Every structure is written in structure tokens, then in C-alpha cells.
Amino acid sequence: MKFSEGWQVDVLRPNHAGPYADISHDSDKYVVGIPDQPFEVKVTVPQAVFRSAPLLRVSLTVEGQSCGISKIVNSFSASSSFKGFVSTVKGKHVTSQFLFGAAQTDFQAPTPAAGTSQTGGLSISIEHIEQMPGHLPPPAQVSSHAAAAPKAIEGKKWFLQPSLAAKAGDIVAEPPITFNTHVYRSLKVLANLKLRMETAAILVLRKVLDPENPAHQRIIDASQPPDEQEEGEGESPSVTAAAASTSSPIGGGLSPRGTKRRVKAEKPQSNKAVKPEPNQTPRNRSSGGQADVIDLTGF
């Protein structure tokens, strides 16, 4: 997803499987996610920025929660990737994979946390920094927590509520994390980039995606859960019209109005917010490449 002034944020499938679809609508930018599927976040800085700001710190928050680390980038390494929530388990720093998770479906009883407004999504902050004298010891403990499902926002119709949250998945097997022990001072925040996470079904209901638009239909087709994509060659997934009853809970009171292809809406699974899953035991997977240099002076 391209932002103004050349900043770029891509939400990717792991193992070089390509990006998730994204779309801009009015002033909002969306990544079209799939519940229970893993994702990574890649941030790319335009080279022109480094002429006046040679050293940058990139930080990511997911649903308002820090992923546990920030990363240093410069003109020789203008991109940085975040694969999950970083924390310390039994003395080892580990990364728990980002997963899309279904958001709260009990929209009839909103319970927003006091003083907060959870709207769902990814936030990236990019700062111009400079290195200062001295060093810090590598951290003994890193703490991050998977964000809870965004709560219903009072006064908003059900189909305007966040449809996706994020949760922690399996621990990713990767090279050891290398911590940068230099001391840095923040000079200026250069950009705050935001991406909302939503399902294709909800974006159809909001008329962000139009099934009659071939480009939008390709996004819809690519954003179905894997079991629905495998339903049969040449078949479209079962669908729900964008012209749904706006007073119904998800999955209820929906009727087609002549759309050629429609999107299946999510069915509520319970009346409780979905809780993030605890970290799981690492699987026997390996990933090549060197570890990123990571800065924790901002935490």
C-alpha cells in the first residue's frame, strides 16, 4: 500500500507467498485480511527521505499494542519487516506469529474501555533519530502482548464495527535476534501511517468493495478463507449481498439484490470478544537470512 510522499506498507503472507489485497477509500486505507491466517508487515522508506534524515527508527503497533521491538533503517537497508509479537520465554527472545483473528460479534452490547477508541488496525511510526554517546546492555526481558479483539464502538452500526483483530500464533523459528545497544535520540516524527484491517465481506457491505467492479471482485476472490477457495474449479464462493439489512447482526437478515457475485459474511461464533491465544510451542520450521538489527531504546 502506497502512502503519500512515497512511504509504503505491505501486509504479506509468510514464506514469500505474496501480499494480502489492499484498497484505499476516501481517507482510509484497508488491508483485506482472512481470519486465522498469518501475516507479516513490511515497511519501506523512500530513498529521498535519507537525504535529510540518514537514520530512522520504525515502530509498529497492532490494535494499539506494541509488537515489542522497533527497528533501525538507513539508506543501505530501507525496508524492515515485522513478523510477530516479540517476548521473552524462559530466557529466550521469541517471535509469535501475527494472525488475523475475528473481532467481537456481540455488537448489541458495546463495552468500550474507558478513555479508548479501538478501531482495529496497524499503526507505523517513523522517526528521524541520531546516535548518542554510550551503550546500553542488551535487554534481559522483552514484553509484548497480542491485542485483544477491538470492542464494539457505541453508536456505530454493526457493519461499521471492526471486523478483524490480531492475535498471537505459533512461535516462529528464525535466527537469533540481534539487539542494537547504541543510544539514540528522537529528533522528529516523520510519518504516522495507519492501515485498517477488515474482511472482504464487511467492505462489500460498506460499499468500499463493489462486486460489479472486476478489479474489486478479484480482491474479493483472493480474500476468501482457504477452504472456500478450494470449493471447486470455476466456482465462486457463496455470497451475501452488499445491500444487507443494516439493522441485522452479522450473518442475519441478508438478502441478495441481483449481484452477479457476492461475498459470504462472517457468522457470529459467540457473544463474547475473541481472546488472543497464548503463545504455542515452536514448530520445527526454519527460515533463512540474517536477523534484523533491533533497537529497544524507545521502550
Side-chain angles (χ1 to χ4, degrees):
M1 169 65 72
K2 282 281 189 184
F3 287 78
S4 61
E5 300 180 3
W7 306 100
Q8 183 161 337
V9 178
D10 296 299
V11 180
L12 306 172
R13 293 171 168 86
N15 302 317
H16 309 287
Y20 286 91
D22 53 43
I23 188 169
S24 297
H25 182 75
D26 295 334
S27 59
D28 292 318
K29 297 183 183 297
Y30 300 92
V31 56
V32 188
I34 304 173
D36 296 318
Q37 294 301 299
F39 68 92
E40 300 174 1
V41 180
K42 180 180 179 181
V43 181
T44 303
V45 178
Q47 282 292 329
V49 171
F50 295 111
R51 297 171 190 165
S52 57
L55 197 62
L56 305 178
R57 176 164 55 205
V58 180
S59 304
L60 170 68
T61 60
V62 181
E63 300 290 355
Q65 299 290 327
S66 168
C67 67
I69 58 173
S70 61
K71 297 193 176 183
I72 304 297
V73 297
N74 55 37
S75 61
F76 300 102
S77 179
S79 295
S80 194
S81 294
F82 297 84
K83 296 183 178 181
F85 296 99
V86 176
S87 57
T88 305
V89 178
K90 296 181 179 179
K92 294 184 178 180
H93 306 303
V94 298
T95 302
S96 299
Q97 193 174 46
F98 291 136
L99 290 179
F100 290 114
Q104 176 171 313
T105 56
D106 181 15
F107 295 120
Q108 304 305 316
T111 55
T116 66
S117 177
Q118 292 178 291
T119 57
L122 309 172
S123 297
I124 298 96
S125 174
I126 303 171
E127 304 168 78
H128 179 199
I129 60 174
E130 67 175 358
Q131 184 175 327
M132 303 293 288
H135 289 78
L136 294 172
Q141 186 80 16
V142 181
S143 178
S144 71
H145 303 281
K151 294 181 173 61
I153 302 169
E154 191 170 7
K156 281 196 173 185
K157 296 180 180 179
W158 69 269
F159 65 95
L160 297 177
Q161 303 286 354
S163 60
L164 280 179
K167 58 185 180 180
D170 294 336
I171 293 176
V172 180
E174 60 180 359
I177 295 173
T178 302
F179 293 107
N180 191 331
T181 61
H182 293 295
V183 178
Y184 297 100
R185 179 167 69 102
S186 178
L187 300 176
K188 182 181 180 181
V189 176
L190 301 181
N192 282 307
L193 312 175
K194 297 184 183 297
L195 264 176
R196 298 178 64 177
M197 302 185 297
E198 305 289 357
T199 62
I202 286 296
L203 293 179
V204 169
L205 294 173
R206 295 181 191 170
K207 302 188 184 304
V208 174
L209 290 174
D210 177 7
E212 300 295 328
N213 181 324
H216 288 190
Q217 185 60 53
R218 286 192 291 272
I219 291 176
I220 293 167
D221 291 341
S223 303
Q224 300 303 309
D227 56 339
E228 293 188 10
Q229 293 181 8
E230 298 170 359
E231 279 184 352
E233 190 173 340
E235 294 182 3
S236 296
S238 60
V239 291
T240 302
S245 167
T246 57
S247 61
S248 303
I250 291 178
L254 305 176
S255 59
R257 292 189 181 179
T259 55
K260 295 180 180 178
R261 296 184 182 179
R262 297 161 288 163
V263 182
K264 186 175 182 180
E266 299 83 353
K267 294 181 180 180
Q269 297 178 353
S270 69
N271 289 332
K272 296 182 179 180
V274 176
K275 295 182 179 179
E277 297 178 355
N279 290 343
Q280 301 176 11
T281 304
R283 292 182 176 178
N284 293 326
R285 296 180 295 179
S286 61
S287 58
Q290 298 180 343
D292 292 318
V293 176
I294 296 172
D295 166 61
L296 280 94
T297 58
F299 295 92

